[in-house]
Coordinates of all heavy atoms in Angstrom, one line a residue:
M1034 N -14.0 -8.3 -12.4 CA -13.6 -9.2 -11.4 C -13.4 -10.6 -12.1 O -14.3 -11.0 -12.9 CB -14.7 -9.3 -10.4 CG -14.4 -10.3 -9.3 SD -15.5 -10.2 -7.9 CE -16.6 -11.4 -8.3
I1035 N -12.4 -11.3 -11.8 CA -12.1 -12.6 -12.4 C -12.3 -13.6 -11.3 O -11.6 -13.5 -10.2 CB -10.7 -12.6 -13.0 CG1 -10.6 -11.7 -14.2 CG2 -10.4 -14.1 -13.4 CD1 -9.3 -11.7 -14.8
N1036 N -13.1 -14.6 -11.5 CA -13.3 -15.7 -10.6 C -12.6 -16.9 -11.1 O -12.9 -17.4 -12.2 CB -14.8 -16.0 -10.5 CG -15.3 -16.0 -9.1 OD1 -14.5 -16.0 -8.2 ND2 -16.6 -16.0 -8.9
I1037 N -11.6 -17.4 -10.4 CA -10.9 -18.6 -10.8 C -11.2 -19.7 -9.8 O -10.8 -19.6 -8.7 CB -9.4 -18.3 -10.9 CG1 -9.1 -17.2 -11.9 CG2 -8.6 -19.5 -11.2 CD1 -7.7 -16.8 -12.0
G1038 N -11.8 -20.8 -10.4 CA -11.9 -22.0 -9.6 C -11.1 -23.1 -10.3 O -10.9 -23.1 -11.5
F1039 N -10.6 -24.0 -9.5 CA -9.6 -24.9 -10.1 C -10.4 -26.2 -10.3 O -10.8 -26.9 -9.3 CB -8.4 -25.1 -9.2 CG -7.3 -25.8 -9.9 CD1 -6.6 -25.1 -10.8 CD2 -7.0 -27.1 -9.7 CE1 -5.5 -25.8 -11.5 CE2 -6.0 -27.8 -10.3 CZ -5.3 -27.1 -11.2
N1040 N -10.5 -26.6 -11.5 CA -11.1 -27.9 -11.9 C -10.5 -28.3 -13.2 O -9.5 -27.8 -13.6 CB -12.7 -27.8 -12.0 CG -13.1 -26.8 -13.0 OD1 -12.3 -26.2 -13.7 ND2 -14.4 -26.6 -13.1
L1041 N -11.1 -29.3 -13.9 CA -10.5 -29.8 -15.1 C -10.4 -28.7 -16.2 O -9.4 -28.7 -16.9 CB -11.4 -31.0 -15.7 CG -10.8 -31.7 -16.9 CD1 -9.5 -32.3 -16.7 CD2 -11.8 -32.8 -17.4
G1042 N -11.4 -27.9 -16.3 CA -11.4 -26.8 -17.3 C -10.2 -25.9 -17.1 O -9.5 -25.4 -18.0
S1043 N -10.0 -25.5 -15.8 CA -8.8 -24.6 -15.5 C -7.5 -25.3 -15.7 O -6.6 -24.7 -16.2 CB -8.9 -24.2 -14.0 OG -10.1 -23.5 -13.8
L1044 N -7.4 -26.6 -15.4 CA -6.2 -27.3 -15.6 C -5.9 -27.4 -17.1 O -4.8 -27.2 -17.6 CB -6.3 -28.7 -15.0 CG -5.1 -29.6 -15.2 CD1 -3.9 -29.1 -14.5 CD2 -5.4 -31.0 -14.7
L1045 N -6.9 -27.7 -17.9 CA -6.7 -27.7 -19.4 C -6.4 -26.3 -19.9 O -5.6 -26.2 -20.9 CB -8.0 -28.2 -20.1 CG -8.3 -29.7 -19.9 CD1 -9.6 -30.1 -20.5 CD2 -7.2 -30.6 -20.4
G1046 N -6.8 -25.3 -19.3 CA -6.4 -23.9 -19.7 C -4.9 -23.7 -19.5 O -4.2 -23.1 -20.3
L1047 N -4.5 -24.2 -18.3 CA -3.0 -24.0 -18.0 C -2.2 -24.9 -19.0 O -1.1 -24.4 -19.4 CB -2.8 -24.5 -16.6 CG -3.2 -23.5 -15.5 CD1 -2.9 -24.2 -14.1 CD2 -2.4 -22.2 -15.6
I1048 N -2.7 -26.1 -19.3 CA -2.0 -26.9 -20.2 C -2.0 -26.3 -21.6 O -0.9 -26.3 -22.3 CB -2.6 -28.3 -20.3 CG1 -2.4 -29.1 -19.0 CG2 -2.1 -29.1 -21.5 CD1 -3.1 -30.3 -18.8
D1049 N -3.1 -25.7 -22.0 CA -3.1 -24.9 -23.3 C -2.1 -23.8 -23.3 O -1.4 -23.6 -24.3 CB -4.5 -24.4 -23.6 CG -5.4 -25.3 -24.4 OD1 -4.9 -26.3 -24.8 OD2 -6.5 -24.9 -24.5
F1050 N -2.0 -23.1 -22.3 CA -1.1 -21.9 -22.2 C 0.4 -22.4 -22.3 O 1.2 -21.9 -23.0 CB -1.3 -21.2 -20.9 CG -0.8 -19.8 -20.9 CD1 -1.5 -18.8 -21.6 CD2 0.4 -19.4 -20.3 CE1 -1.1 -17.5 -21.7 CE2 0.9 -18.1 -20.4 CZ 0.1 -17.2 -21.1
A1051 N 0.7 -23.5 -21.5 CA 2.0 -24.1 -21.6 C 2.3 -24.7 -22.9 O 3.4 -24.5 -23.5 CB 2.2 -25.1 -20.5
L1052 N 1.4 -25.3 -23.6 CA 1.6 -25.9 -24.9 C 1.8 -24.8 -25.9 O 2.5 -25.0 -26.9 CB 0.4 -26.8 -25.3 CG 0.3 -28.1 -24.7 CD1 -0.9 -28.9 -25.1 CD2 1.6 -29.0 -25.0
G1053 N 1.1 -23.6 -25.7 CA 1.3 -22.5 -26.7 C 2.8 -22.0 -26.6 O 3.4 -21.7 -27.7
I1054 N 3.3 -21.9 -25.4 CA 4.7 -21.5 -25.3 C 5.7 -22.6 -25.9 O 6.6 -22.3 -26.6 CB 5.0 -21.2 -23.8 CG1 4.2 -19.9 -23.4 CG2 6.5 -20.9 -23.6 CD1 4.2 -19.7 -22.0
L1055 N 5.4 -23.8 -25.5 CA 6.2 -24.9 -26.0 C 6.1 -25.0 -27.6 O 7.1 -25.4 -28.2 CB 5.8 -26.2 -25.4 CG 6.6 -27.5 -25.7 CD1 8.0 -27.3 -25.2 CD2 5.9 -28.7 -25.1
Y1056 N 4.9 -24.7 -28.1 CA 4.7 -24.8 -29.5 C 5.6 -23.8 -30.3 O 6.1 -24.2 -31.4 CB 3.3 -24.5 -29.8 CG 2.8 -25.0 -31.1 CD1 2.2 -26.3 -31.2 CD2 2.8 -24.2 -32.3 CE1 1.7 -26.7 -32.4 CE2 2.3 -24.7 -33.5 CZ 1.8 -25.9 -33.5 OH 1.4 -26.4 -34.7
V1057 N 5.8 -22.7 -29.7 CA 6.7 -21.7 -30.4 C 8.1 -22.2 -30.5 O 8.7 -22.2 -31.5 CB 6.7 -20.3 -29.6 CG1 7.8 -19.4 -30.1 CG2 5.4 -19.7 -29.6
V1058 N 8.6 -22.8 -29.4 CA 10.0 -23.3 -29.3 C 10.2 -24.4 -30.3 O 11.1 -24.5 -31.1 CB 10.4 -23.7 -27.9 CG1 11.7 -24.4 -27.9 CG2 10.3 -22.5 -27.0
L1059 N 9.2 -25.4 -30.3 CA 9.4 -26.6 -31.1 C 9.2 -26.2 -32.6 O 9.9 -26.8 -33.5 CB 8.4 -27.6 -30.7 CG 8.6 -28.3 -29.4 CD1 7.6 -29.3 -29.0 CD2 10.0 -29.0 -29.4
S1060 N 8.3 -25.3 -32.9 CA 8.1 -24.9 -34.3 C 9.3 -24.2 -34.9 O 9.6 -24.4 -36.0 CB 6.8 -24.1 -34.4 OG 5.7 -24.8 -34.1
L1061 N 9.8 -23.3 -34.1 CA 11.0 -22.6 -34.6 C 12.2 -23.5 -34.8 O 13.0 -23.4 -35.7 CB 11.3 -21.4 -33.7 CG 10.3 -20.3 -33.6 CD1 10.7 -19.3 -32.6 CD2 10.1 -19.7 -35.0
T1062 N 12.4 -24.5 -33.9 CA 13.5 -25.4 -34.1 C 13.2 -26.3 -35.3 O 14.1 -26.7 -36.0 CB 13.8 -26.3 -32.8 OG1 12.6 -27.0 -32.5 CG2 14.2 -25.4 -31.7
A1063 N 11.9 -26.7 -35.5 CA 11.6 -27.5 -36.6 C 11.8 -26.8 -37.9 O 12.2 -27.4 -38.9 CB 10.2 -28.1 -36.5
S1064 N 11.4 -25.5 -38.0 CA 11.6 -24.7 -39.2 C 13.1 -24.5 -39.5 O 13.5 -24.4 -40.7 CB 10.8 -23.4 -39.1 OG 11.4 -22.6 -38.2
S1065 N 13.9 -24.4 -38.5 CA 15.3 -24.2 -38.7 C 16.0 -25.5 -39.3 O 17.0 -25.4 -40.0 CB 16.1 -23.8 -37.5 OG 16.1 -24.8 -36.5
R1066 N 15.5 -26.7 -39.0 CA 16.1 -27.9 -39.5 C 15.3 -28.5 -40.6 O 15.6 -29.6 -41.0 CB 16.2 -28.9 -38.3 CG 14.9 -29.4 -37.9 CD 15.1 -30.5 -36.9 NE 13.7 -31.1 -36.6 CZ 13.3 -31.6 -35.5 NH1 14.2 -31.7 -34.5 NH2 12.1 -32.0 -35.4
A1067 N 14.3 -27.8 -41.1 CA 13.5 -28.3 -42.2 C 14.4 -28.3 -43.5 O 15.5 -27.8 -43.6 CB 12.3 -27.3 -42.5
G1068 N 13.8 -29.0 -44.5 CA 14.6 -29.2 -45.7 C 14.7 -27.9 -46.5 O 14.3 -26.8 -46.0
T1069 N 15.3 -27.9 -47.6 CA 15.5 -26.7 -48.4 C 14.3 -26.2 -49.1 O 14.4 -25.2 -49.7 CB 16.7 -27.0 -49.4 OG1 16.3 -28.0 -50.2 CG2 18.0 -27.3 -48.6
S1070 N 13.2 -26.9 -49.0 CA 12.0 -26.5 -49.8 C 11.5 -25.2 -49.2 O 11.2 -25.1 -48.0 CB 11.0 -27.6 -49.7 OG 9.8 -27.1 -50.1
P1071 N 11.3 -24.1 -50.0 CA 10.7 -22.9 -49.4 C 9.3 -23.0 -49.0 O 8.9 -22.4 -48.0 CB 10.8 -21.9 -50.6 CG 11.7 -22.6 -51.6 CD 11.7 -24.0 -51.3
Q1072 N 8.5 -23.9 -49.6 CA 7.1 -24.1 -49.2 C 7.1 -24.8 -47.8 O 6.3 -24.4 -47.0 CB 6.4 -25.0 -50.2 CG 6.2 -24.4 -51.6 CD 7.2 -24.9 -52.6 OE1 8.1 -25.7 -52.3 NE2 7.1 -24.4 -53.8
Q1073 N 7.9 -25.7 -47.6 CA 7.9 -26.4 -46.3 C 8.3 -25.4 -45.2 O 7.7 -25.4 -44.1 CB 8.9 -27.6 -46.3 CG 8.9 -28.4 -45.1 CD 9.8 -29.6 -45.2 OE1 10.7 -29.7 -46.1 NE2 9.7 -30.5 -44.2
R1074 N 9.3 -24.6 -45.5 CA 9.8 -23.6 -44.5 C 8.7 -22.6 -44.2 O 8.5 -22.2 -43.1 CB 11.1 -23.0 -45.0 CG 11.9 -22.4 -43.9 CD 13.2 -21.9 -44.5 NE 14.1 -23.0 -44.8 CZ 15.1 -23.4 -44.0 NH1 15.4 -22.7 -42.9 NH2 15.9 -24.4 -44.3
S1075 N 8.0 -22.1 -45.3 CA 7.0 -21.1 -45.1 C 5.8 -21.7 -44.3 O 5.2 -21.0 -43.5 CB 6.6 -20.5 -46.4 OG 6.0 -21.5 -47.2
L1076 N 5.4 -22.9 -44.6 CA 4.3 -23.5 -43.9 C 4.6 -23.7 -42.4 O 3.8 -23.5 -41.5 CB 3.9 -24.9 -44.5 CG 3.1 -24.8 -45.8 CD1 2.9 -26.2 -46.4 CD2 1.8 -24.1 -45.6
L1077 N 5.9 -24.1 -42.1 CA 6.2 -24.3 -40.7 C 6.3 -22.9 -40.0 O 5.9 -22.8 -38.8 CB 7.6 -25.0 -40.6 CG 7.6 -26.5 -40.9 CD1 9.0 -27.0 -40.9 CD2 6.8 -27.2 -39.8
T1078 N 6.6 -21.9 -40.7 CA 6.6 -20.5 -40.1 C 5.2 -20.1 -39.8 O 4.9 -19.5 -38.7 CB 7.4 -19.5 -41.0 OG1 8.7 -20.0 -41.3 CG2 7.4 -18.2 -40.4
I1079 N 4.3 -20.3 -40.8 CA 2.9 -20.0 -40.5 C 2.3 -20.8 -39.4 O 1.6 -20.2 -38.5 CB 2.1 -20.2 -41.8 CG1 2.5 -19.2 -42.9 CG2 0.6 -20.1 -41.6 CD1 1.9 -19.5 -44.2
Q1080 N 2.7 -22.0 -39.3 CA 2.2 -22.9 -38.2 C 2.8 -22.4 -36.9 O 2.1 -22.4 -35.8 CB 2.7 -24.3 -38.5 CG 2.2 -25.3 -37.5 CD 2.6 -26.7 -37.9 OE1 3.1 -26.9 -39.0 NE2 2.4 -27.7 -37.1
A1081 N 4.0 -21.9 -36.9 CA 4.7 -21.4 -35.6 C 4.0 -20.1 -35.2 O 4.0 -19.8 -34.0 CB 6.2 -21.2 -35.9
V1082 N 3.4 -19.4 -36.1 CA 2.7 -18.1 -35.7 C 1.3 -18.4 -35.3 O 0.8 -17.9 -34.2 CB 2.8 -17.1 -36.8 CG1 1.9 -15.9 -36.6 CG2 4.2 -16.7 -37.1
L1083 N 0.6 -19.2 -36.0 CA -0.9 -19.4 -35.8 C -1.1 -20.4 -34.6 O -2.1 -20.2 -33.9 CB -1.5 -20.0 -37.0 CG -1.7 -19.1 -38.2 CD1 -2.4 -19.8 -39.4 CD2 -2.5 -17.9 -37.8
G1084 N -0.3 -21.3 -34.3 CA -0.5 -22.2 -33.2 C -0.6 -21.5 -31.9 O -1.6 -21.6 -31.2
P1085 N 0.5 -20.8 -31.5 CA 0.4 -20.0 -30.3 C -0.6 -18.9 -30.3 O -1.2 -18.6 -29.2 CB 1.8 -19.4 -30.1 CG 2.6 -20.2 -31.0 CD 1.8 -20.7 -32.1
L1086 N -0.9 -18.3 -31.4 CA -1.9 -17.3 -31.5 C -3.3 -17.8 -31.1 O -4.1 -17.1 -30.6 CB -2.0 -16.7 -32.9 CG -2.7 -15.4 -33.2 CD1 -2.0 -14.3 -32.4 CD2 -2.7 -15.1 -34.6
V1087 N -3.5 -19.1 -31.3 CA -4.8 -19.7 -30.9 C -4.7 -20.3 -29.5 O -5.6 -20.1 -28.6 CB -5.2 -20.8 -31.9 CG1 -6.3 -21.6 -31.4 CG2 -5.5 -20.2 -33.2
L1088 N -3.6 -21.0 -29.2 CA -3.5 -21.7 -27.9 C -3.4 -20.8 -26.7 O -3.9 -21.0 -25.6 CB -2.3 -22.6 -27.9 CG -2.4 -23.9 -28.7 CD1 -1.1 -24.7 -28.8 CD2 -3.5 -24.8 -28.0
L1089 N -2.7 -19.6 -26.8 CA -2.5 -18.8 -25.7 C -3.8 -18.1 -25.2 O -4.1 -18.2 -24.0 CB -1.4 -17.7 -25.9 CG 0.0 -18.3 -26.1 CD1 1.0 -17.3 -26.5 CD2 0.5 -19.0 -24.8
P1090 N -4.5 -17.5 -26.1 CA -5.8 -16.9 -25.6 C -6.8 -17.9 -25.2 O -7.6 -17.7 -24.2 CB -6.3 -16.1 -26.8 CG -5.3 -16.0 -27.8 CD -4.3 -17.1 -27.5
V1091 N -6.9 -19.0 -25.9 CA -7.8 -20.1 -25.5 C -7.5 -20.6 -24.1 O -8.3 -20.8 -23.2 CB -7.9 -21.2 -26.5 CG1 -8.6 -22.4 -26.0 CG2 -8.5 -20.7 -27.8
G1092 N -6.2 -20.8 -23.8 CA -5.8 -21.3 -22.5 C -6.1 -20.3 -21.4 O -6.5 -20.6 -20.3
L1093 N -6.0 -19.0 -21.7 CA -6.3 -17.9 -20.7 C -7.8 -17.9 -20.4 O -8.2 -17.8 -19.3 CB -5.8 -16.6 -21.2 CG -6.0 -15.4 -20.3 CD1 -5.2 -15.6 -19.0 CD2 -5.7 -14.1 -21.0
V1094 N -8.6 -18.1 -21.5 CA -10.1 -18.1 -21.3 C -10.5 -19.3 -20.5 O -11.3 -19.3 -19.6 CB -10.8 -18.0 -22.7 CG1 -12.3 -18.3 -22.5 CG2 -10.6 -16.6 -23.3
W1095 N -9.9 -20.5 -20.9 CA -10.3 -21.7 -20.2 C -9.8 -21.6 -18.7 O -10.5 -22.2 -17.8 CB -9.6 -22.9 -20.8 CG -10.5 -23.5 -21.9 CD1 -10.4 -23.2 -23.2 CD2 -11.6 -24.3 -21.8 NE1 -11.3 -23.9 -23.9 CE2 -12.1 -24.5 -23.1 CE3 -12.3 -24.9 -20.7 CZ2 -13.3 -25.3 -23.3 CZ3 -13.4 -25.7 -20.9 CH2 -13.9 -25.9 -22.2
F1096 N -8.7 -21.0 -18.4 CA -8.2 -20.9 -17.0 C -9.1 -20.0 -16.2 O -9.4 -20.3 -15.1 CB -6.8 -20.4 -17.0 CG -6.2 -20.3 -15.6 CD1 -6.0 -21.5 -14.9 CD2 -6.0 -19.1 -15.1 CE1 -5.5 -21.4 -13.6 CE2 -5.5 -19.0 -13.8 CZ -5.2 -20.1 -13.0
T1097 N -9.6 -18.9 -16.8 CA -10.4 -18.0 -16.0 C -11.8 -18.3 -16.0 O -12.5 -18.0 -15.1 CB -10.2 -16.6 -16.5 OG1 -10.5 -16.5 -17.9 CG2 -8.8 -16.1 -16.4
Q1098 N -12.3 -19.0 -17.0 CA -13.8 -19.3 -17.1 C -14.1 -20.8 -17.2 O -15.3 -21.1 -17.3 CB -14.4 -18.6 -18.4 CG -14.2 -17.1 -18.4 CD -14.9 -16.4 -17.3 OE1 -16.0 -16.8 -17.0 NE2 -14.2 -15.4 -16.8
G1099 N -13.1 -21.6 -17.0 CA -13.4 -23.1 -17.0 C -14.3 -23.6 -15.9 O -15.0 -24.6 -16.1
W1100 N -14.4 -22.9 -14.8 CA -15.2 -23.3 -13.7 C -16.7 -23.3 -14.0 O -17.5 -23.9 -13.4 CB -14.9 -22.5 -12.5 CG -15.2 -21.1 -12.6 CD1 -14.3 -20.1 -13.2 CD2 -16.4 -20.4 -12.3 NE1 -14.9 -18.9 -13.2 CE2 -16.2 -19.0 -12.6 CE3 -17.6 -20.8 -11.7 CZ2 -17.2 -18.1 -12.4 CZ3 -18.5 -19.8 -11.5 CH2 -18.3 -18.5 -11.9
R1101 N -17.0 -22.5 -15.0 CA -18.4 -22.3 -15.4 C -19.0 -23.4 -16.3 O -20.2 -23.4 -16.5 CB -18.6 -20.9 -16.1 CG -18.1 -19.8 -15.3 CD -18.2 -18.6 -16.1 NE -19.4 -17.9 -15.7 CZ -19.8 -16.8 -16.2 NH1 -19.1 -16.2 -17.2 NH2 -20.9 -16.2 -15.8
L1102 N -18.1 -24.2 -16.9 CA -18.6 -25.1 -17.9 C -19.1 -26.4 -17.3 O -18.7 -26.9 -16.3 CB -17.4 -25.4 -18.8 CG -16.9 -24.2 -19.6 CD1 -15.7 -24.6 -20.4 CD2 -18.0 -23.7 -20.5
D1103 N -20.0 -26.9 -18.1 CA -20.6 -28.2 -17.8 C -19.6 -29.3 -17.7 O -18.7 -29.3 -18.6 CB -21.7 -28.5 -18.9 CG -22.4 -29.8 -18.7 OD1 -22.5 -30.2 -17.6 OD2 -22.9 -30.3 -19.7
P1104 N -19.6 -30.3 -16.8 CA -18.6 -31.3 -16.8 C -18.6 -32.2 -18.0 O -17.5 -32.6 -18.4 CB -19.1 -32.2 -15.6 CG -19.9 -31.3 -14.7 CD -20.5 -30.3 -15.7
L1105 N -19.7 -32.3 -18.7 CA -19.7 -33.1 -20.0 C -18.9 -32.3 -21.0 O -18.1 -33.0 -21.8 CB -21.1 -33.3 -20.5 CG -21.2 -34.3 -21.6 CD1 -20.7 -35.6 -21.3 CD2 -22.7 -34.4 -22.1
L1106 N -19.0 -31.0 -21.1 CA -18.2 -30.2 -22.0 C -16.7 -30.3 -21.7 O -15.8 -30.4 -22.5 CB -18.7 -28.8 -22.1 CG -18.0 -27.8 -23.0 CD1 -18.1 -28.3 -24.5 CD2 -18.6 -26.5 -22.9
Q1107 N -16.4 -30.3 -20.4 CA -15.0 -30.4 -20.0 C -14.4 -31.8 -20.3 O -13.3 -31.9 -20.7 CB -14.9 -30.2 -18.5 CG -15.2 -28.8 -18.1 CD -15.1 -28.6 -16.6 OE1 -14.6 -29.4 -15.8 NE2 -15.4 -27.4 -16.1
F1108 N -15.2 -32.8 -20.2 CA -14.8 -34.1 -20.6 C -14.5 -34.2 -22.1 O -13.5 -34.8 -22.5 CB -15.9 -35.2 -20.2 CG -15.5 -36.6 -20.4 CD1 -14.5 -37.2 -19.7 CD2 -16.2 -37.3 -21.4 CE1 -14.2 -38.5 -19.9 CE2 -15.8 -38.7 -21.6 CZ -14.8 -39.2 -20.8
A1109 N -15.4 -33.6 -22.9 CA -15.2 -33.6 -24.3 C -13.9 -32.8 -24.7 O -13.1 -33.3 -25.5 CB -16.4 -33.0 -25.0
L1110 N -13.7 -31.7 -24.0 CA -12.4 -31.0 -24.2 C -11.2 -31.8 -23.8 O -10.2 -31.7 -24.5 CB -12.5 -29.6 -23.5 CG -11.3 -28.8 -23.7 CD1 -11.3 -28.1 -25.1 CD2 -11.2 -27.7 -22.6
F1111 N -11.3 -32.5 -22.8 CA -10.2 -33.4 -22.3 C -9.8 -34.4 -23.4 O -8.6 -34.5 -23.8 CB -10.6 -34.1 -21.0 CG -9.6 -35.2 -20.6 CD1 -8.4 -34.8 -20.1 CD2 -9.9 -36.5 -20.8 CE1 -7.4 -35.8 -19.7 CE2 -9.0 -37.5 -20.4 CZ -7.8 -37.1 -19.9
W1112 N -10.8 -35.0 -24.0 CA -10.5 -36.0 -25.1 C -10.0 -35.3 -26.4 O -9.2 -35.8 -27.1 CB -11.7 -36.8 -25.4 CG -11.9 -37.9 -24.3 CD1 -12.9 -37.9 -23.4 CD2 -11.1 -39.0 -24.1 NE1 -12.7 -39.0 -22.6 CE2 -11.6 -39.6 -22.9 CE3 -9.9 -39.5 -24.6 CZ2 -11.0 -40.8 -22.4 CZ3 -9.3 -40.6 -24.1 CH2 -9.8 -41.2 -23.0
L1113 N -10.5 -34.1 -26.6 CA -9.9 -33.3 -27.7 C -8.5 -33.0 -27.5 O -7.6 -33.1 -28.4 CB -10.7 -32.0 -27.9 CG -10.4 -31.2 -29.1 CD1 -10.6 -31.9 -30.4 CD2 -11.1 -29.9 -29.1
H1114 N -8.1 -32.7 -26.3 CA -6.7 -32.4 -25.9 C -5.8 -33.7 -26.1 O -4.7 -33.6 -26.6 CB -6.5 -31.9 -24.5 CG -6.7 -30.4 -24.4 ND1 -7.9 -29.8 -24.4 CD2 -5.8 -29.4 -24.4 CE1 -7.8 -28.5 -24.3 NE2 -6.5 -28.3 -24.3
I1115 N -6.4 -34.8 -25.7 CA -5.7 -36.1 -25.9 C -5.4 -36.3 -27.4 O -4.2 -36.6 -27.8 CB -6.5 -37.3 -25.3 CG1 -6.6 -37.1 -23.8 CG2 -5.8 -38.6 -25.7 CD1 -5.3 -37.3 -23.1
L1116 N -6.3 -36.0 -28.2 CA -6.2 -36.2 -29.7 C -5.1 -35.2 -30.2 O -4.3 -35.6 -31.0 CB -7.5 -36.0 -30.4 CG -7.5 -36.0 -31.9 CD1 -7.2 -37.5 -32.4 CD2 -8.8 -35.6 -32.5
V1117 N -5.2 -34.0 -29.8 CA -4.2 -33.0 -30.3 C -2.8 -33.3 -29.8 O -1.8 -33.2 -30.6 CB -4.6 -31.6 -29.8 CG1 -3.5 -30.5 -30.1 CG2 -5.9 -31.1 -30.5
V1118 N -2.6 -33.7 -28.6 CA -1.3 -34.0 -28.1 C -0.8 -35.3 -28.8 O 0.4 -35.3 -29.2 CB -1.3 -34.2 -26.5 CG1 0.0 -34.8 -26.0 CG2 -1.5 -32.9 -25.9
F1119 N -1.6 -36.3 -29.0 CA -1.2 -37.5 -29.7 C -0.7 -37.1 -31.1 O 0.3 -37.6 -31.6 CB -2.3 -38.5 -29.8 CG -2.0 -39.7 -30.7 CD1 -1.2 -40.6 -30.2 CD2 -2.6 -39.8 -31.9 CE1 -0.9 -41.7 -31.1 CE2 -2.3 -40.8 -32.7 CZ -1.5 -41.8 -32.3
S1120 N -1.5 -36.3 -31.8 CA -1.2 -35.9 -33.2 C 0.2 -35.1 -33.2 O 1.0 -35.3 -34.1 CB -2.3 -35.0 -33.8 OG -3.4 -35.7 -33.9
G1121 N 0.4 -34.2 -32.2 CA 1.6 -33.5 -32.2 C 2.8 -34.3 -31.9 O 3.9 -34.2 -32.6
V1122 N 2.7 -35.3 -31.0 CA 3.8 -36.2 -30.7 C 4.1 -37.1 -31.9 O 5.2 -37.3 -32.3 CB 3.5 -37.0 -29.5 CG1 4.5 -38.2 -29.3 CG2 3.5 -36.1 -28.2
K1123 N 3.0 -37.5 -32.6 CA 3.2 -38.4 -33.8 C 3.9 -37.6 -34.9 O 4.8 -38.1 -35.5 CB 1.8 -38.8 -34.3 CG 1.9 -39.7 -35.6 CD 0.5 -40.0 -36.1 CE -0.2 -38.7 -36.6 NZ 0.0 -38.3 -37.9
D1124 N 3.5 -36.3 -35.1 CA 4.2 -35.5 -36.1 C 5.7 -35.3 -35.7 O 6.5 -35.3 -36.6 CB 3.5 -34.1 -36.2 CG 2.2 -34.3 -37.0 OD1 2.0 -35.3 -37.6 OD2 1.4 -33.3 -36.9
L1125 N 6.0 -35.1 -34.5 CA 7.4 -34.9 -34.1 C 8.2 -36.1 -34.3 O 9.3 -36.1 -34.7 CB 7.5 -34.4 -32.6 CG 7.1 -33.0 -32.4 CD1 7.1 -32.7 -30.9 CD2 8.1 -32.0 -33.1
L1126 N 7.6 -37.3 -33.9 CA 8.4 -38.5 -34.0 C 8.5 -39.0 -35.4 O 9.5 -39.7 -35.7 CB 7.7 -39.6 -33.1 CG 7.8 -39.3 -31.6 CD1 7.1 -40.5 -30.9 CD2 9.2 -39.2 -31.2
L1127 N 7.6 -38.7 -36.3 CA 7.6 -39.3 -37.6 C 8.1 -38.2 -38.7 O 7.9 -38.5 -39.9 CB 6.2 -39.8 -38.0 CG 5.7 -41.0 -37.2 CD1 4.3 -41.3 -37.7 CD2 6.6 -42.1 -37.3
S1128 N 8.6 -37.1 -38.2 CA 9.0 -36.1 -39.2 C 10.2 -36.6 -40.0 O 11.1 -37.2 -39.4 CB 9.3 -34.8 -38.5 OG 10.5 -34.9 -37.7
P1129 N 10.3 -36.5 -41.3 CA 11.3 -37.0 -42.1 C 12.7 -36.3 -41.9 O 13.7 -36.9 -42.2 CB 10.8 -36.9 -43.5 CG 9.9 -35.8 -43.5 CD 9.3 -35.8 -42.1
N1130 N 12.7 -35.1 -41.4 CA 13.9 -34.4 -41.3 C 14.5 -34.3 -39.9 O 14.9 -33.3 -39.4 CB 13.7 -32.9 -41.8 CG 13.3 -32.9 -43.2 OD1 13.8 -33.7 -44.0 ND2 12.4 -32.0 -43.6
R1131 N 14.6 -35.5 -39.3 CA 15.1 -35.5 -37.9 C 16.6 -35.7 -37.9 O 17.2 -36.3 -38.6 CB 14.4 -36.6 -37.1 CG 13.0 -36.3 -36.8 CD 12.4 -37.3 -35.9 NE 13.0 -37.3 -34.7 CZ 13.1 -38.3 -33.8 NH1 12.5 -39.4 -34.1 NH2 13.7 -38.2 -32.7

C-alpha cells in the first residue's frame, strides 16, 4: 500500500522526477553541440546517464514517502534543491560552447 500525502516533500519529489526527464533532454543536446574533444563528449554522456539514474528514483521515493519526513529535513532538502537548480542554470548559461 502506498500512502501519498501532498506536502513540501512530495512536491520536491515531483520536481526531482521532472528535472530527471528534463536533464536527459538537456544533456543530450549539450553533448551533441559539445566541442570536438572526446573527453568532453564522454563526460557529458556519462553525466546524461547518471543524472536521471539518480533523480528519477529519488523523486519517486520523495513523492511517495515525503509525507513521513520531519519538516526540518524537508526544509534542508528544499535549500539543497535551490543550490542544485542554481548550479545547473549557471552551468547552462556559462557553457563555452553555446
